[in-house]
Amino acid sequence: MTSSVMERQAKVAGKTLNLSDIQGNVVRAYGHIGYFHARYLFFRINDPGNARAFLTRVAERVTNSAYADSKRNTRQTTSKASTNVAFTFAGLQAIELPAGSLMGFPQEFAAGMKKRMSILGDEGSSAPEHWDNIWQKEVHLWVSINGLSNADVEERYQWILRQNKDSGDGVELLSGHRGAAGEEDLMFQTGAILRDENGNPSGKEHFGYRDGISDPVFEGQPNAPDTVLGRGKLLAGDKWAPLAPGEFLLGHLDEAQEYPKAPMPRSLAQNGTFMVYRKLHQNVATFRRYLDDSAAQFEGSKEMLAAKFCGRWRDNGAPIVDAPDDAGKKCWDARFEAADAAEKRRMLTDFHYNDDIDGARCPMSGHLRRMNPRGSLEFGQKGAFNTPSALADRRRILRRGLPYGQSGPDTNDADDHGIIFMALNASIERQFEFVQQQWVNYGNDFKEGNDKEILLGNHTGEGKAVLQVEPGSGKPPHFLTKLPRFVECRGGDYFFVPGITALKMIAAGIVDPT
């Protein structure tokens, strides 16, 4: 590691997390340990006593985050499959959590995703009446299984079903998931990493972009010092530091040096988090057709235009702010090819928009810029904040989940394919909902008026986005017009992911808010 890189990793006070008390897939994504296959199960609680007996059994095999510390645990010592558990607010009511504890949960979580549809822009084809049948029912409990293979996932699935039967069927597995063959009533939602032409994990989603490169880094993550560049918070002097853990974990201080709103007792919230689960259908055929048609009018290659949509090039994830055109991409690729693993990782994440305030490289409506504007909301006003990325640091979310379905060359929009999107944050309202409402479906913070984010915006076929050019270049901006909806919501809800101790308290029925 070069001295300049080390100097840009700001020293921060040491923070140790109790990884054994935090559910797996929170501190570090399961993809890092080869869990490329998943099933998501949704239950209704019919008998709270027997449901608690079921949870007591399952809790003994719930996966924690100890694997995130490679010095303590690696893939070789982890199970072939994981199990994790989360509750909707209705689920916590159904399992008879005390009213004093229920009253402490945030109002957006208590309301649930469906009732927040106007904030999320879930209208038109994304409206709840078009969601999978499972979401027309009241969901109480989410149980996820991730595994090294489909066989490993199947084995854990059968084990979970046996625990329910042996506990007196206190919970009911709900059907209603759509499938690739037109099914409407499947018993679970699957997810799996997409593979390239050689059968290797590609890390891409159905539009062809690499996913999950710049997930936030926060204090206490075992690998934070090595991964903080471009993934933490941007400080003065071009330095990066991990975000406060309270942005993602309850019971810890956040970026405001406050504890996130959480239920009582404190042990119920400690090391827990809130999860946003959304099944996002991708209209792959529409995307490909729109890209082809727009490329015919664009000054640059089709792949350069695709990179403008996202903020990254599709083949290797090169950030367009550092590889701004076809010629620049060739130079970036040459440096990337010659770099070692650590330098490659740095090149993919270590960037900001200080030299692209006008969006000439990464457009203001590009996906990457809208999801994490880094320090660019200062709009060139150097020193406006002690922390240049202050306006973005409290909007960050941890992204988890996997693609589902397949999308071959002849796919159409009716095929069942997309992303199981899961966002983890300490405040659904302040973090996920704000980004979805203000940065995805509205553009005023980016001086783009009503222009939505290009890929995820709830377009109606009438909207536009502007691809800016260098001021003074004499070139006109490029307009994307009549933007169709590339991504539709097919269902989801808000979940509370308790820490391991809290899960066992819920299962034992010993939560006491007094």
Side-chain angles (χ1 to χ4, degrees):
M1 186 178 296
T2 66
S3 59
S4 62
V5 168
M6 296 178 67
E7 289 168 359
R8 296 178 55 236
Q9 297 169 329
K11 292 183 179 178
V12 296
K15 174 72 179 178
T16 300
L17 298 175
N18 182 359
L19 298 176
S20 297
D21 195 48
I22 302 170
Q23 290 206 43
N25 216 21
V26 174
V27 175
R28 197 174 192 205
Y30 277 148
H32 290 284
I33 56 172
Y35 286 169
F36 295 146
H37 305 267
R39 286 184 191 178
Y40 306 106
L41 320 178
F42 299 89
F43 294 90
R44 177 167 54 212
I45 295 171
N46 291 329
D47 182 310
N50 289 345
R52 285 194 290 271
F54 167 68
L55 286 171
T56 298
R57 290 168 176 258
V58 171
E60 294 303 316
R61 296 189 72 173
V62 163
T63 309
N64 62 44
S65 285
Y67 67 87
D69 185 351
S70 59
K71 295 178 182 177
R72 293 175 52 194
N73 211 333
T74 66
R75 172 176 162 180
Q76 284 71 36
T77 56
T78 53
S79 172
K80 291 182 179 179
S82 67
T83 301
N84 293 102
V85 175
F87 301 85
T88 61
F89 185 77
L92 293 172
Q93 289 177 306
I95 207 158
E96 299 179 336
L97 204 69
S101 294
L102 290 170
M103 291 171 62
F105 281 96
Q107 53 94 20
E108 72 277 7
F109 168 67
M113 184 182 292
K114 198 176 291 183
K115 291 183 179 177
R116 308 287 280 185
M117 59 175 286
S118 60
I119 291 173
L120 302 177
D122 287 340
E123 55 196 35
S125 57
S126 290
E129 60 262 33
H130 301 299
W131 293 2
D132 285 10
N133 289 334
I134 179 86
W135 303 109
Q136 311 308 325
K137 306 171 183 177
E138 185 172 274
V139 169
H140 291 161
L141 185 66
W142 169 89
V143 176
S144 72
I145 307 169
N146 288 66
L148 299 177
S149 69
N150 277 325
D152 297 325
V153 171
E154 171 66 19
E155 182 178 348
R156 182 62 60 92
Y157 173 67
Q158 293 299 333
W159 179 84
I160 290 171
L161 296 185
R162 286 198 301 275
Q163 304 319 301
N164 184 38
K165 183 177 181 181
D166 294 345
S167 302
D169 290 317
V171 298
E172 174 187 354
L173 180 62
L174 299 175
S175 63
H177 302 274
R178 292 182 197 176
E183 306 96 328
E184 297 280 348
D185 218 24
L186 297 179
M187 299 304 295
F188 50 77
Q189 175 66 54
T190 59
I193 198 165
L194 301 183
R195 297 182 180 274
D196 63 19
E197 59 275 13
N198 298 316
N200 299 315
S202 69
K204 294 186 176 182
E205 46 67 63
H206 291 286
F207 293 157
Y209 297 104
R210 285 191 61 189
D211 207 4
I213 296 176
S214 293
D215 222 27
V217 167
F218 57 95
E219 292 178 53
Q221 283 181 311
N223 61 339
D226 299 328
T227 56
V228 70
L229 293 178
R231 296 172 57 182
K233 56 185 175 185
L234 182 60
L235 306 179
D238 211 18
K239 294 184 177 181
W240 294 90
L243 291 151
E247 292 299 317
F248 311 104
L249 290 171
L250 304 179
H252 299 266
L253 292 174
D254 60 23
E255 282 294 318
Q257 293 300 295
E258 297 175 345
Y259 290 100
K261 179 177 175 59
M264 293 299 288
R266 184 171 179 175
S267 54
L268 174 63
Q270 189 71 27
N271 292 324
T273 188
F274 291 105
M275 178 180 72
V276 176
Y277 178 101
R278 283 168 77 81
K279 181 178 182 179
L280 298 180
H281 173 78
Q282 292 179 271
N283 290 318
V284 178
T286 294
F287 171 80
R288 291 174 179 170
R289 186 166 54 248
Y290 188 84
L291 179 60
D292 286 341
D293 292 346
S294 298
Q297 311 297 322
F298 179 68
E299 185 180 346
S301 68
K302 171 182 165 182
E303 283 307 311
M304 179 179 165
L305 180 60
K308 290 280 188 182
F309 287 6
C310 177
R312 290 190 185 277
W313 293 74
R314 293 200 293 183
D315 58 346
N316 57 13
I320 197 168
V321 72
D322 287 340
D325 51 31
D326 293 299
K329 176 61 164 41
K330 288 182 179 178
C331 295
W332 192 94
D333 284 351
R335 288 188 284 115
F336 190 70
E337 191 66 29
D340 60 20
E343 177 62 8
K344 285 183 177 178
R345 189 166 59 236
R346 188 200 66 75
M347 290 177 69
L348 288 170
T349 63
D350 184 16
F351 61 90
H352 49 60
Y353 304 110
N354 287 0
D355 297 323
D356 187 36
I357 293 300
D358 297 297
R361 296 184 172 198
C362 184
M364 294 294 183
S365 296
H367 176 72
L368 226 61
R369 195 159 188 148
R370 289 290 184 100
M371 294 298 101
N372 179 15
R374 303 179 183 234
S376 65
L377 293 183
E378 281 192 328
F379 283 105
Q381 301 300 314
K382 299 292 185 184
F385 310 110
N386 290 332
T387 303
S389 60
L391 293 179
D393 292 339
R394 307 215 66 206
R395 314 298 183 188
R396 304 293 299 281
I397 54 176
L398 298 173
R399 290 192 55 203
R400 300 294 184 257
L402 284 167
Y404 69 90
Q406 297 296 321
S407 53
D410 300 323
T411 193
N412 61 63
D413 290 344
D415 292 340
D416 191 58
H417 47 221
I419 294 175
I420 300 302
F421 172 87
M422 295 188 291
L424 301 173
N425 45 203
S427 169
I428 293 172
E429 181 181 44
R430 172 170 55 80
Q431 294 168 272
F432 167 74
E433 287 189 344
F434 179 91
V435 172
Q436 183 74 16
Q437 182 186 43
Q438 296 295 320
W439 291 355
V440 171
N441 290 327
Y442 191 48
N444 211 37
D445 283 356
F446 299 82
K447 299 186 178 180
E448 294 298 292
N450 290 324
D451 287 0
K452 307 173 192 293
E453 187 267 335
I454 296 169
L455 294 174
L456 297 181
N458 58 350
H459 305 292
T460 61
E462 300 297 327
K464 68 168 177 52
V466 182
L467 307 185
Q468 292 82 14
V469 297
E470 204 68 50
S473 66
K475 296 180 179 179
H478 184 90
F479 286 81
L480 300 172
T481 59
K482 298 184 177 180
L483 277 164
R485 190 170 300 196
F486 298 125
V487 176
E488 300 171 352
C489 184
R490 290 282 171 84
D493 212 333
Y494 295 158
F495 293 85
F496 170 56
V497 185
I500 302 293
T501 300
L503 176 61
K504 292 180 177 178
M505 289 168 55
I506 295 170
I510 58 172
V511 174
D512 183 354
T514 59

mmCIF file of all heavy atoms in Angstrom, residues 25 37 48 67 88 100 117 127 138-140 188 215 244 275 313 381 385 391 400 438 444 450 512:
data_model
loop_
_atom_site.group_PDB
_atom_site.id
_atom_site.type_symbol
_atom_site.label_atom_id
_atom_site.label_comp_id
_atom_site.label_asym_id
_atom_site.label_seq_id
_atom_site.Cartn_x
_atom_site.Cartn_y
_atom_site.Cartn_z
ATOM 1 N N ASN A 25 -24.979 -11.500 7.231
ATOM 2 C CA ASN A 25 -25.350 -10.694 6.060
ATOM 3 C C ASN A 25 -25.527 -9.227 6.416
ATOM 4 O O ASN A 25 -25.941 -8.441 5.562
ATOM 5 C CB ASN A 25 -26.625 -11.207 5.385
ATOM 6 C CG ASN A 25 -26.574 -11.056 3.871
ATOM 7 O OD1 ASN A 25 -25.494 -10.939 3.290
ATOM 8 N ND2 ASN A 25 -27.720 -11.059 3.228
ATOM 9 N N HIS A 37 -26.541 -18.758 -3.447
ATOM 10 C CA HIS A 37 -27.908 -19.255 -3.663
ATOM 11 C C HIS A 37 -28.763 -18.890 -2.445
ATOM 12 O O HIS A 37 -28.264 -18.932 -1.315
ATOM 13 C CB HIS A 37 -27.903 -20.768 -3.861
ATOM 14 C CG HIS A 37 -26.998 -21.218 -4.974
ATOM 15 N ND1 HIS A 37 -27.437 -21.412 -6.259
ATOM 16 C CD2 HIS A 37 -25.660 -21.471 -4.992
ATOM 17 C CE1 HIS A 37 -26.425 -21.776 -7.021
ATOM 18 N NE2 HIS A 37 -25.329 -21.831 -6.282
ATOM 19 N N PRO A 48 -49.125 -18.028 18.793
ATOM 20 C CA PRO A 48 -47.921 -17.375 19.306
ATOM 21 C C PRO A 48 -47.057 -18.276 20.186
ATOM 22 O O PRO A 48 -45.826 -18.203 20.139
ATOM 23 C CB PRO A 48 -48.463 -16.167 20.085
ATOM 24 C CG PRO A 48 -49.915 -16.412 20.262
ATOM 25 C CD PRO A 48 -50.349 -17.291 19.152
ATOM 26 N N TYR A 67 -18.257 -14.584 10.844
ATOM 27 C CA TYR A 67 -17.485 -14.904 9.629
ATOM 28 C C TYR A 67 -16.883 -13.663 8.989
ATOM 29 O O TYR A 67 -15.966 -13.749 8.171
ATOM 30 C CB TYR A 67 -18.376 -15.610 8.604
ATOM 31 C CG TYR A 67 -19.455 -14.724 8.042
ATOM 32 C CD1 TYR A 67 -19.211 -13.924 6.931
ATOM 33 C CD2 TYR A 67 -20.715 -14.661 8.626
ATOM 34 C CE1 TYR A 67 -20.190 -13.093 6.428
ATOM 35 C CE2 TYR A 67 -21.690 -13.844 8.142
ATOM 36 C CZ TYR A 67 -21.435 -13.057 7.042
ATOM 37 O OH TYR A 67 -22.397 -12.225 6.554
ATOM 38 N N THR A 88 -42.007 -8.416 10.589
ATOM 39 C CA THR A 88 -42.755 -7.199 10.304
ATOM 40 C C THR A 88 -43.329 -6.698 11.631
ATOM 41 O O THR A 88 -43.323 -7.414 12.647
ATOM 42 C CB THR A 88 -43.927 -7.461 9.341
ATOM 43 O OG1 THR A 88 -44.821 -8.398 9.951
ATOM 44 C CG2 THR A 88 -43.430 -7.998 8.010
ATOM 45 N N GLY A 100 -45.615 -1.943 25.389
ATOM 46 C CA GLY A 100 -44.613 -0.929 25.701
ATOM 47 C C GLY A 100 -43.422 -0.985 24.787
ATOM 48 O O GLY A 100 -42.787 0.043 24.513
ATOM 49 N N MET A 117 -46.590 3.766 0.040
ATOM 50 C CA MET A 117 -46.447 3.707 -1.414
ATOM 51 C C MET A 117 -46.322 5.088 -2.048
ATOM 52 O O MET A 117 -45.592 5.264 -3.026
ATOM 53 C CB MET A 117 -47.620 2.955 -2.042
ATOM 54 C CG MET A 117 -48.990 3.551 -1.756
ATOM 55 S SD MET A 117 -50.334 2.700 -2.634
ATOM 56 C CE MET A 117 -50.068 3.310 -4.312
ATOM 57 N N ALA A 127 -47.684 -0.346 -8.377
ATOM 58 C CA ALA A 127 -48.680 -0.213 -7.305
ATOM 59 C C ALA A 127 -48.942 -1.574 -6.654
ATOM 60 O O ALA A 127 -48.837 -2.620 -7.302
ATOM 61 C CB ALA A 127 -49.968 0.368 -7.862
ATOM 62 N N GLU A 138 -51.099 -10.927 4.820
ATOM 63 C CA GLU A 138 -50.371 -10.296 5.930
ATOM 64 C C GLU A 138 -49.173 -11.171 6.289
ATOM 65 O O GLU A 138 -49.333 -12.286 6.790
ATOM 66 C CB GLU A 138 -51.269 -10.106 7.152
ATOM 67 C CG GLU A 138 -50.567 -9.350 8.282
ATOM 68 C CD GLU A 138 -51.507 -8.986 9.422
ATOM 69 O OE1 GLU A 138 -52.162 -7.930 9.323
ATOM 70 O OE2 GLU A 138 -51.590 -9.759 10.388
ATOM 71 N N VAL A 139 -47.991 -10.651 6.039
ATOM 72 C CA VAL A 139 -46.747 -11.375 6.313
ATOM 73 C C VAL A 139 -46.257 -10.999 7.712
ATOM 74 O O VAL A 139 -46.250 -9.834 8.094
ATOM 75 C CB VAL A 139 -45.681 -11.018 5.256
ATOM 76 C CG1 VAL A 139 -44.316 -11.553 5.669
ATOM 77 C CG2 VAL A 139 -46.083 -11.565 3.889
ATOM 78 N N HIS A 140 -45.839 -12.004 8.471
ATOM 79 C CA HIS A 140 -45.349 -11.758 9.829
ATOM 80 C C HIS A 140 -43.851 -11.994 9.995
ATOM 81 O O HIS A 140 -43.187 -11.294 10.751
ATOM 82 C CB HIS A 140 -46.078 -12.670 10.823
ATOM 83 C CG HIS A 140 -47.510 -12.317 11.007
ATOM 84 N ND1 HIS A 140 -48.440 -13.188 11.534
ATOM 85 C CD2 HIS A 140 -48.195 -11.169 10.731
ATOM 86 C CE1 HIS A 140 -49.622 -12.619 11.590
ATOM 87 N NE2 HIS A 140 -49.512 -11.392 11.097
ATOM 88 N N PHE A 188 -41.822 -20.159 -2.068
ATOM 89 C CA PHE A 188 -40.691 -19.318 -1.643
ATOM 90 C C PHE A 188 -40.143 -18.543 -2.835
ATOM 91 O O PHE A 188 -40.408 -18.883 -4.000
ATOM 92 C CB PHE A 188 -39.579 -20.169 -1.002
ATOM 93 C CG PHE A 188 -39.161 -21.368 -1.812
ATOM 94 C CD1 PHE A 188 -38.339 -21.247 -2.926
ATOM 95 C CD2 PHE A 188 -39.613 -22.641 -1.456
ATOM 96 C CE1 PHE A 188 -37.968 -22.354 -3.663
ATOM 97 C CE2 PHE A 188 -39.240 -23.763 -2.198
ATOM 98 C CZ PHE A 188 -38.418 -23.616 -3.309
ATOM 99 N N ASP A 215 -20.406 -0.774 -1.386
ATOM 100 C CA ASP A 215 -21.225 -0.826 -0.177
ATOM 101 C C ASP A 215 -20.545 -0.030 0.944
ATOM 102 O O ASP A 215 -19.315 -0.037 1.058
ATOM 103 C CB ASP A 215 -21.396 -2.282 0.249
ATOM 104 C CG ASP A 215 -22.799 -2.593 0.687
ATOM 105 O OD1 ASP A 215 -23.725 -1.925 0.218
ATOM 106 O OD2 ASP A 215 -22.961 -3.497 1.510
ATOM 107 N N ALA A 244 -20.193 6.039 11.093
ATOM 108 C CA ALA A 244 -20.543 5.607 12.440
ATOM 109 C C ALA A 244 -21.433 4.362 12.357
ATOM 110 O O ALA A 244 -22.343 4.298 11.514
ATOM 111 C CB ALA A 244 -21.279 6.718 13.180
ATOM 112 N N MET A 275 -34.692 -3.742 7.906
ATOM 113 C CA MET A 275 -34.455 -4.204 6.532
ATOM 114 C C MET A 275 -35.626 -3.810 5.635
ATOM 115 O O MET A 275 -36.788 -4.006 5.993
ATOM 116 C CB MET A 275 -34.282 -5.719 6.499
ATOM 117 C CG MET A 275 -34.073 -6.274 5.092
ATOM 118 S SD MET A 275 -33.869 -8.069 5.069
ATOM 119 C CE MET A 275 -35.546 -8.606 5.436
ATOM 120 N N TRP A 313 -19.016 1.542 -16.057
ATOM 121 C CA TRP A 313 -19.027 0.761 -17.287
ATOM 122 C C TRP A 313 -19.473 -0.656 -16.970
ATOM 123 O O TRP A 313 -19.201 -1.170 -15.881
ATOM 124 C CB TRP A 313 -17.647 0.762 -17.939
ATOM 125 C CG TRP A 313 -17.229 2.121 -18.445
ATOM 126 C CD1 TRP A 313 -16.825 3.181 -17.700
ATOM 127 C CD2 TRP A 313 -17.203 2.553 -19.806
ATOM 128 N NE1 TRP A 313 -16.541 4.258 -18.505
ATOM 129 C CE2 TRP A 313 -16.753 3.903 -19.813
ATOM 130 C CE3 TRP A 313 -17.485 1.949 -21.031
ATOM 131 C CZ2 TRP A 313 -16.596 4.649 -20.983
ATOM 132 C CZ3 TRP A 313 -17.324 2.702 -22.209
ATOM 133 C CH2 TRP A 313 -16.889 4.032 -22.171
ATOM 134 N N GLN A 381 -18.674 24.502 -3.547
ATOM 135 C CA GLN A 381 -18.435 25.449 -2.457
ATOM 136 C C GLN A 381 -17.488 24.802 -1.455
ATOM 137 O O GLN A 381 -17.895 24.232 -0.454
ATOM 138 C CB GLN A 381 -19.762 25.815 -1.784
ATOM 139 C CG GLN A 381 -20.781 26.429 -2.711
ATOM 140 C CD GLN A 381 -20.298 27.732 -3.348
ATOM 141 O OE1 GLN A 381 -19.757 28.591 -2.673
ATOM 142 N NE2 GLN A 381 -20.487 27.858 -4.654
ATOM 143 N N PHE A 385 -18.923 22.463 4.405
ATOM 144 C CA PHE A 385 -19.152 21.609 5.571
ATOM 145 C C PHE A 385 -17.799 21.095 6.058
ATOM 146 O O PHE A 385 -16.879 20.901 5.269
ATOM 147 C CB PHE A 385 -20.035 20.417 5.206
ATOM 148 C CG PHE A 385 -21.287 20.794 4.479
ATOM 149 C CD1 PHE A 385 -21.460 20.486 3.140
ATOM 150 C CD2 PHE A 385 -22.303 21.466 5.148
ATOM 151 C CE1 PHE A 385 -22.606 20.833 2.467
ATOM 152 C CE2 PHE A 385 -23.466 21.813 4.477
ATOM 153 C CZ PHE A 385 -23.615 21.508 3.137
ATOM 154 N N LEU A 391 -24.008 15.862 3.663
ATOM 155 C CA LEU A 391 -25.392 15.763 3.213
ATOM 156 C C LEU A 391 -25.751 14.361 2.722
ATOM 157 O O LEU A 391 -26.919 14.071 2.480
ATOM 158 C CB LEU A 391 -25.671 16.791 2.116
ATOM 159 C CG LEU A 391 -25.631 18.261 2.571
ATOM 160 C CD1 LEU A 391 -25.892 19.193 1.388
ATOM 161 C CD2 LEU A 391 -26.659 18.527 3.667
ATOM 162 N N ARG A 400 -27.988 -5.547 0.264
ATOM 163 C CA ARG A 400 -27.849 -6.999 0.246
ATOM 164 C C ARG A 400 -28.813 -7.548 -0.805
ATOM 165 O O ARG A 400 -29.475 -6.814 -1.487
ATOM 166 C CB ARG A 400 -28.153 -7.575 1.639
ATOM 167 C CG ARG A 400 -27.227 -7.038 2.751
ATOM 168 C CD ARG A 400 -25.789 -7.483 2.563
ATOM 169 N NE ARG A 400 -24.930 -7.057 3.650
ATOM 170 C CZ ARG A 400 -24.083 -6.017 3.567
ATOM 171 N NH1 ARG A 400 -24.027 -5.303 2.450
ATOM 172 N NH2 ARG A 400 -23.309 -5.700 4.586
ATOM 173 N N GLN A 438 -36.504 11.395 -2.651
ATOM 174 C CA GLN A 438 -35.868 12.649 -3.043
ATOM 175 C C GLN A 438 -34.784 12.487 -4.111
ATOM 176 O O GLN A 438 -34.553 13.410 -4.883
ATOM 177 C CB GLN A 438 -35.259 13.318 -1.806
ATOM 178 C CG GLN A 438 -36.282 13.728 -0.763
ATOM 179 C CD GLN A 438 -37.224 14.821 -1.274
ATOM 180 O OE1 GLN A 438 -36.796 15.746 -1.968
ATOM 181 N NE2 GLN A 438 -38.493 14.715 -0.943
ATOM 182 N N ASN A 444 -34.335 17.590 -7.378
ATOM 183 C CA ASN A 444 -34.034 18.975 -7.017
ATOM 184 C C ASN A 444 -32.708 19.128 -6.279
ATOM 185 O O ASN A 444 -32.014 20.139 -6.446
ATOM 186 C CB ASN A 444 -35.171 19.553 -6.166
ATOM 187 C CG ASN A 444 -35.332 21.039 -6.384
ATOM 188 O OD1 ASN A 444 -35.160 21.519 -7.509
ATOM 189 N ND2 ASN A 444 -35.642 21.775 -5.334
ATOM 190 N N ASN A 450 -37.556 18.013 -11.683
ATOM 191 C CA ASN A 450 -38.332 16.783 -11.520
ATOM 192 C C ASN A 450 -37.699 15.577 -12.203
ATOM 193 O O ASN A 450 -38.299 14.494 -12.212
ATOM 194 C CB ASN A 450 -39.736 16.973 -12.096
ATOM 195 C CG ASN A 450 -40.571 17.914 -11.254
ATOM 196 O OD1 ASN A 450 -40.459 17.929 -10.029
ATOM 197 N ND2 ASN A 450 -41.394 18.713 -11.899
ATOM 198 N N ASP A 512 -39.217 -7.436 28.269
ATOM 199 C CA ASP A 512 -39.862 -6.615 29.302
ATOM 200 C C ASP A 512 -39.438 -5.161 29.111
ATOM 201 O O ASP A 512 -38.287 -4.815 29.363
ATOM 202 C CB ASP A 512 -39.441 -7.101 30.691
ATOM 203 C CG ASP A 512 -40.150 -6.331 31.803
ATOM 204 O OD1 ASP A 512 -40.874 -5.355 31.495
ATOM 205 O OD2 ASP A 512 -39.973 -6.702 32.977
#
